[in-house]
């Protein structure tokens, strides 16, 4: 039964990804950004007028903004006029015909991650039609969702088919004025997911999608909007453990979550974009704005993230705890190896009464990696009885890496209770020795110790993701000790 | 064909450039229990770590044969898989890693090395439950993190539990009696006694004679200033208890 469920999910992933492809049939736009480019994107996506207007307003606002540089990271200036803002995916004719044509190194990594055979082909970009052919299964899945009244579709489809919902909620959590990258995303986003769970509905299955960056030198601007109506519940998985190679690319996604009264949203991410090589060449710049709005009373939003990829990560999945008794959670594992830099954390904004938030952050630094936790806990004056618990642990491997913690706490209500615990430790030579004396290889020992360190976060991940995530850490940290 | 498990000849070792072992000789045969005693700083723990292959313990002379082959050229984990087990004086805590998970991974790494099938979770659990009864440990031990929050006695019992599951050929027990109250000492000693076998050698490193009231050694050696300065049978331990170590050091200097 469980495996059928998984199969279903995989087929839908494929179909969904396929959806991107069929939506985007035109060629790559030349590099550069102006209003004409935005009009062209909108036209090619066959968008309604309201969305074009919104994009243009965002673009004009973006022009007045400057790139933020407060994050704990260093990188050369980004030339926004050198980026192509729209590209067609690679033609299937260029794709490898079978796994025999795929880089053996990549296949070796898939093997270590324990990714099922048929998925490897898809991830490696093998022309998918041959991989799996069960349209009827996908139809069953879609039928099941629509019977439940759940909408799960590409964003551009939602913009056409559900204009009232999109207009009501788009930008209501992350307005285009929010920050530099959010404004840029609002102007040029190419696609993403739209999810709507109607009142009182528990989404009958985990929703997942594998995002992909299709062509070199093309910024990737995803836009995801999830709305959970009163008393509904949904779990959404984003990302993929398998590494995907690409040259320096700007990835500036926006994710907005809205939870109404008594609704629950669980959003899990595994991010493993290409981190660059050992010398820091190449790699994705991952500048993401993710925010959830606990708009209703007793609502709950949980973010779980495992961030192992990208050259630079700038990401703060946050919760606005507006409804009384609402709950926000953030569970994070962030790994930096070689020259990777991560500045990640969360914001918990307590507005409603008796709102509660939990933050568990596990940072692992290896090689010359730099890992910063940056978190804001803000208790507004009206948030009577608000509570926050923050636990922030760093693990260092080797002596050339760095771990940094930047906690910001603003308490405006005397009844609030805010707790912050932080530890920094080095992976112990004595722990490794102990494990090796019992017969484990050094690699297995590191893996075991690091996974133990991350346990509190991994247990929040959906089952099938948790195992892959554990393997992923091992692969990411290969050669980090010794 | 000799039955030697361990043969150490003229072993010299240093830590941080400081010579600790200065020409140590020792031979241990299958079925024997040897106790190595000596004052603090004499090199007892260093000996166990050199044999187990701890990084930073540099061998500067001599040789060590284990079952007739060079032990020192093997990596730490290879020695373990070949049946060398060290019960640590200070077992390390590994937060978030289940005790049972480490033990299963260890056993299966060793079985794999020997070309045996790995045990699945159910087979492993039934094995480990039997062993736990012997050490009077309750089920909750399995799911606690490795040594985390264990009392001193629990840590030592856990070491012997690991030994009983891994069934080593050569067991090195480093101050296994330290920090134990009398009841825990009895449990640990019972566990060790039950693991005495014809085809196994046990080397006990201890500062005090106390443990030897419960585990009767075949041989007792006194380690002083990096060398074995005196060997004898169990009566030597009693003599040490009565006279201390100083007379031996003097004897060694005048010799």
């Amino acid at each position: 039964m469980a495996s059928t469920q998984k199969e279903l999910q995989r087929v839908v992933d494929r179909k969904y990804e396929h959806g991107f492809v069929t939506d985007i049939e035109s060629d790559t736009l030349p590099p550069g950004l102006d209003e004409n480019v935005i009009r062209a994107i909108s036209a090619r996506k066959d968008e309604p007028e309201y969305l074009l207007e919104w994009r243009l307003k965002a673009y004009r606002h973006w022009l007045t903004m400057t790139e933020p540089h407060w994050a704990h990271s260093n990188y050369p200036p980004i030339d926004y006029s050198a980026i192509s803002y729209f590209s067609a995916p690679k033609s299937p004719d260029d794709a490898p015909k079978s796994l025999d044509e795929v880089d053996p190194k990549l296949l070796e990594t898939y093997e270590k991650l324990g990714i099922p055979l048929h998925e490897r082909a898809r991830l490696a970009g093998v022309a998918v039609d041959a991989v799996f052919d069960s349209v009827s299964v996908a139809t069953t899945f879609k039928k099941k969702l629509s019977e439940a009244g759940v909408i799960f579709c590409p964003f551009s489809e939602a913009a056409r088919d559900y204009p009232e919902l999109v207009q009501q909620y788009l930008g209501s959590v992350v307005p285009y004025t929010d920050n530099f990258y959010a404004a840029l995303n609002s102007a040029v986003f190419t696609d993403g997911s739209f999810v709507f769970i109607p009142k009182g509905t528990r989404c009958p299955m985990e929703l997942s999608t594998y995002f992909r960056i299709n062509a070199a030198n093309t910024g990737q601007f995803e836009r995801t909007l999830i709305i959970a109506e009163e008393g509904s519940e949904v779990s959404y998985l984003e990302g993929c453990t398998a590494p995907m190679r690409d040259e320096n690319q700007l990835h500036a996604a926006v994710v907005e979550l809205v939870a109404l009264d008594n609704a629950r949203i669980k959003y899990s991410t595994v991010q493993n974009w290409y981190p660059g090589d050992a010398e820091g060449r190449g790699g994705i710049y991952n500048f993401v704005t993710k925010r959830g709005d606990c708009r209703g009373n007793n609502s709950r939003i949980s973010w779980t993230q495992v961030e192992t990829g990208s050259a630079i990560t700038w990401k703060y999945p946050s919760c606005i705890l507006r409804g009384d008794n609402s709950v926000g959670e953030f569970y994070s594992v962030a790994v930096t190896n070689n020259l990777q830099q991560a500045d990640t954390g969360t914001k918990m904004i307590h507005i409603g009464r008796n709102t509660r938030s939990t933050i568990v952050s596990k940072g692992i630094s290896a090689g010359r990696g730099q890992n910063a936790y940056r978190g804001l806990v803000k208790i507004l004056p009206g948030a009577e009885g608000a509570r926050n618990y923050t636990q922030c642990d760093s693990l260092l491997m080797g002596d050339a890496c760095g771990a940094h913690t930047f906690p910001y706490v603003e308490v405006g209500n005397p009844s609030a209770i805010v707790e912050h615990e932080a530890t920094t430790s080095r992976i112990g030579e004595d722990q490794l020795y102990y494990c090796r004396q019992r017969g484990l290889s050094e690699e297995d020992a590191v893996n075991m110790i690091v996974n133990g360190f991350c346990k509190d976060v991994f247990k929040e991940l959906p089952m099938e993701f948790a195992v892959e995530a554990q393997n992923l850490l091992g692969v990411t940290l290969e050669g980090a000790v010794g | 064909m000799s039955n030697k498990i361990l043969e150490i000849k003229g072993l010299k070792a240093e830590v941080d450039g400081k010579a600790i072992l200065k020409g140590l000789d020792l031979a241990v045969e299958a079925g024997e229990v040897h106790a190595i005693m000596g004052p603090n700083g004499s090199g007892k723990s260093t000996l166990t770590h050199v044999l187990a292959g701890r990084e930073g313990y540099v061998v500067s002379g001599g040789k060590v044969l284990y079952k007739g082959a060079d032990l020192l050229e093997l990596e730490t984990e290879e020695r373990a898989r070949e049946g060398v087990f060290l019960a640590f004086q200070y077992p390390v805590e590994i937060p978030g890693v289940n005790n049972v998970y480490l033990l299963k991974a260890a056993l299966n790494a060793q079985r794999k090395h020997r070309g045996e099938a790995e045990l699945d979770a159910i087979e492993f659990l039934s094995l480990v439950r039997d062993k736990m009864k012997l050490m009077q440990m309750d089920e909750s031990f399995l799911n606690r993190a490795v040594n985390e929050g264990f009392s001193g006695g629990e840590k030592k019992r856990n070491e012997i539990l690991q030994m009983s599951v891994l069934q080593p050929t050569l067991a090195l027990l480093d101050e296994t009696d330290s920090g134990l109250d009398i009841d825990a000492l009895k449990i640990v000693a019972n566990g060790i006694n039950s693991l005495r076998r014809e085809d196994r050698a046990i080397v006990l490193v201890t500062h005090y004679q106390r443990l030897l009231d419960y585990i009767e050694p075949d041989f007792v050696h006194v380690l002083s200033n990096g060398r074995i300065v005196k060997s004898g049978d169990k009566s030597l331990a009693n003599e040490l208890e009565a006279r201390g170590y100083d007379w031996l050091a003097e004897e060694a200097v005048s010799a």
Side-chain angles (χ1 to χ4, degrees):
Chain A
M1 188 61 214
S3 71
T4 321
Q5 186 85 357
K6 264 181 156 175
E7 282 300 274
L8 281 171
Q9 203 147 320
R10 286 195 183 115
V11 174
V12 163
D13 296 340
R14 179 180 71 92
K15 286 306 286 178
Y16 182 51
E17 183 199 70
H18 210 71
F20 279 119
V21 178
T22 46
D23 278 348
I24 308 171
E25 276 176 343
S26 39
D27 295 322
T28 303
L29 285 174
L33 185 55
D34 57 27
E35 294 201 1
N36 286 331
V37 168
I38 290 164
R39 286 176 204 282
I41 293 171
S42 187
R44 283 174 204 211
K45 300 198 75 64
D46 198 14
E47 283 176 358
E49 186 61 24
Y50 75 89
L51 199 50
L52 173 62
E53 286 308 315
W54 194 73
R55 286 176 182 275
L56 289 171
K57 275 194 274 182
Y59 173 67
R60 288 167 199 147
H61 187 78
W62 179 70
L63 289 175
T64 69
M65 302 174 93
T66 49
E67 204 183 74
H69 286 287
W70 43 261
H72 192 84
S73 46
N74 283 303
Y75 50 93
I78 298 169
D79 181 358
Y80 293 91
S81 65
I83 295 172
S84 172
Y85 289 87
F86 190 88
S87 86
K90 283 185 191 133
S91 148
D93 299 341
D94 302 334
K97 302 286 174 289
S98 74
L99 279 177
D100 299 340
E101 294 177 31
V102 173
D103 180 4
K105 199 83 193 157
L106 194 62
L107 294 180
E108 199 182 300
T109 308
Y110 291 169
E111 174 79 45
K112 285 180 185 158
L113 291 171
I115 290 171
L117 264 173
H118 61 273
E119 272 193 26
R120 291 181 203 176
R122 186 174 58 78
L123 293 167
V126 174
V128 287
D129 296 354
V131 177
F132 208 11
D133 187 24
S134 34
V135 179
S136 58
V137 186
T139 315
T140 315
F141 184 103
K142 276 207 150 166
K143 201 172 152 214
K144 204 167 164 188
L145 285 179
S146 74
E147 274 170 10
V150 171
I151 302 170
F152 176 39
C153 65
F155 198 93
S156 49
E157 202 177 303
R160 289 190 300 271
D161 298 351
Y162 310 100
E164 330 70 45
L165 286 174
V166 171
Q167 279 179 280
Q168 184 183 350
Y169 290 104
L170 176 67
S172 73
V173 186
V174 181
Y176 61 75
T177 51
D178 192 80
N179 69 71
F180 184 82
Y181 300 111
L184 180 62
N185 173 287
S186 303
V188 303
F189 70 91
T190 37
D191 221 319
S193 306
F194 177 83
V195 178
F196 176 82
I197 315 291
K199 202 168 175 174
T201 302
R202 183 177 177 168
C203 186
M205 57 198 65
E206 304 247 5
L207 298 180
S208 69
T209 183
Y210 291 108
F211 287 84
R212 261 172 178 286
I213 294 181
N214 286 313
N217 300 316
T218 305
Q220 180 78 6
F221 303 96
E222 302 280 352
R223 185 99 201 176
T224 297
L225 176 57
I226 299 177
I227 302 144
E229 279 201 328
E230 290 83 351
S232 69
E233 203 175 320
V234 62
S235 169
Y236 187 89
L237 309 176
E238 165 210 46
C240 180
T241 53
M244 297 184 188
R245 298 186 71 89
D246 255 300
E247 288 315 303
N248 255 335
Q249 281 193 322
L250 176 61
H251 182 127
V254 171
V255 175
E256 297 179 274
L257 312 181
V258 179
L260 302 182
D261 285 351
N262 304 304
R264 272 181 94 128
I265 301 175
K266 183 175 172 62
Y267 193 106
S268 312
T269 305
V270 172
Q271 184 269 115
N272 189 23
W273 303 112
Y274 181 51
D277 66 14
E279 293 309 310
R281 286 181 295 256
I284 303 288
Y285 293 178
N286 191 27
F287 300 150
V288 179
T289 305
K290 290 185 168 177
R291 194 173 302 152
D293 189 354
C294 284
R295 209 164 278 183
N297 293 337
N298 312 309
S299 57
R300 183 186 201 110
I301 289 178
S302 296
W303 298 100
T304 306
Q305 62 172 23
V306 177
E307 301 280 323
T308 61
S310 297
I312 301 170
T313 298
W314 180 95
K315 182 182 172 190
Y316 315 91
S318 304
C319 296
I320 300 169
L321 303 170
R322 203 184 300 275
D324 290 346
N325 312 310
S326 60
V327 176
E329 294 171 317
F330 174 75
Y331 300 97
S332 170
V333 167
V335 184
T336 53
N337 197 358
N338 296 319
L339 282 166
Q340 282 177 277
Q341 309 174 61
D343 192 303
T344 185
T346 185
K347 290 188 274 185
M348 293 291 174
I349 314 294
H350 292 253
I351 300 171
R353 282 175 297 147
N354 300 315
T355 45
R356 281 170 293 145
S357 62
T358 302
I359 300 170
V360 177
S361 164
K362 304 279 180 175
I364 300 163
S365 315
R368 286 174 281 166
Q370 294 293 326
N371 207 321
Y373 166 79
R374 187 183 302 275
L376 169 67
V377 176
K378 186 169 183 168
I379 314 281
L380 273 75
E384 192 70 26
R387 293 202 60 157
N388 163 265
Y389 172 74
T390 300
Q391 186 191 334
C392 185
D393 299 322
S394 304
L395 187 68
L396 299 168
M397 300 170 75
D399 52 14
C401 55
H404 315 270
T405 306
F406 304 101
Y408 305 83
V409 179
E410 296 172 26
V411 179
N413 184 304
S415 68
I417 301 174
V418 176
E419 292 172 77
H420 183 98
E421 283 181 22
T423 66
T424 301
S425 55
R426 193 171 286 281
I427 191 160
E429 183 265 336
D430 53 343
Q431 290 174 331
L432 288 175
Y433 172 49
Y434 189 77
C435 293
R436 291 177 70 198
Q437 210 300 308
R438 296 299 181 251
L440 274 68
S441 67
E442 180 159 54
E443 200 176 311
D444 288 345
V446 168
N447 219 339
M448 183 182 283
I449 294 164
V450 169
N451 276 305
F453 175 75
C454 298
K455 194 182 190 180
D456 293 343
V457 174
F458 285 166
K459 69 174 200 258
E460 299 295 326
L461 283 174
M463 234 353 232
E464 67 230 70
F465 245 30
V467 176
E468 277 186 33
Q470 288 187 23
N471 295 337
L472 175 60
L473 280 203
V475 172
T476 306
L477 291 170
E478 230 166 56
V481 167
Chain B
M1 185 64 204
S2 90
N3 220 359
K4 284 204 178 86
I5 299 263
L6 183 67
E7 202 173 359
I8 303 175
K9 286 184 180 158
L11 182 64
K12 293 181 182 170
E14 47 193 61
V15 181
D16 295 330
K18 188 173 178 241
I20 310 280
L21 300 183
K22 301 168 182 170
L24 184 143
D25 298 299
L26 180 69
V28 181
E29 297 205 6
E32 294 176 349
V33 174
H34 289 237
I36 297 184
M37 304 184 68
N40 289 328
S42 58
K44 302 189 300 289
S45 282
T46 300
L47 174 63
T48 62
H49 291 309
V50 167
L51 295 176
R54 180 167 204 161
E55 274 173 35
Y57 287 68
V58 181
V59 174
S60 51
K63 61 178 180 178
V64 178
L65 296 179
Y66 170 65
K67 295 191 289 187
D70 185 358
L71 179 71
L72 301 176
E73 70 171 19
L74 299 180
E75 293 288 336
T76 308
E77 58 268 34
E78 292 168 336
R79 298 181 196 189
R81 292 171 194 165
E82 284 288 330
V84 177
F85 177 90
L86 170 60
F88 283 71
Q89 181 178 7
Y90 303 109
V92 63
E93 300 186 1
I94 309 179
V97 175
N98 274 359
N99 212 18
V100 68
Y101 184 76
L102 170 67
L103 193 48
K104 178 163 171 276
L107 179 64
N108 280 335
Q110 301 196 10
R111 290 180 65 95
K112 200 172 158 191
H113 176 74
R114 294 194 294 261
E116 296 166 9
E118 296 185 19
L119 294 187
D120 65 28
I122 295 168
E123 292 167 324
F124 176 77
L125 269 181
S126 82
L127 169 74
V128 82
R129 286 204 170 107
D130 279 352
K131 308 291 184 190
M132 284 173 69
K133 278 187 207 130
L134 172 74
M135 294 312 297
Q136 303 185 23
M137 293 163 83
D138 71 72
E139 287 274 308
S140 67
F141 267 87
L142 292 174
N143 296 315
R144 284 164 69 182
V146 177
N147 291 317
E148 198 181 34
F150 285 26
S151 69
E154 286 174 331
K155 284 182 182 174
K156 296 299 174 73
R157 270 193 275 170
N158 197 33
E159 293 293 289
I160 305 306
L161 172 71
Q162 294 184 359
M163 175 178 163
S164 70
V165 169
L166 297 174
Q167 297 283 326
T169 304
L170 172 63
L172 309 165
L173 309 181
D174 188 5
E175 306 268 1
T176 297
D177 52 329
S178 68
L180 295 185
D181 62 33
I182 192 69
D183 293 328
L185 181 67
K186 280 182 186 164
I187 293 169
V188 165
N190 274 338
I192 296 169
N193 280 328
S194 74
L195 290 167
R196 292 177 81 148
R197 273 172 47 161
E198 279 304 303
D199 55 356
R200 174 174 298 141
I202 296 176
V203 176
L204 303 169
V205 166
T206 179
H207 187 75
Y208 299 105
Q209 186 266 348
R210 183 174 80 138
L211 180 67
L212 306 182
D213 291 339
Y214 300 94
I215 304 171
E216 191 167 324
D218 300 300
F219 298 94
V220 174
H221 310 275
V222 180
L223 184 59
S224 175
N225 195 24
R227 284 192 196 92
I228 303 271
V229 294
K230 198 170 181 67
S231 297
D233 59 16
K234 189 184 173 337
S235 62
L236 177 58
N238 295 329
E239 195 174 352
L240 290 170
E241 182 76 357
R243 296 178 63 187
Y245 290 110
D246 291 345
W247 61 281
L248 280 165
E250 283 155 22
E251 212 170 68
V253 169
S254 61

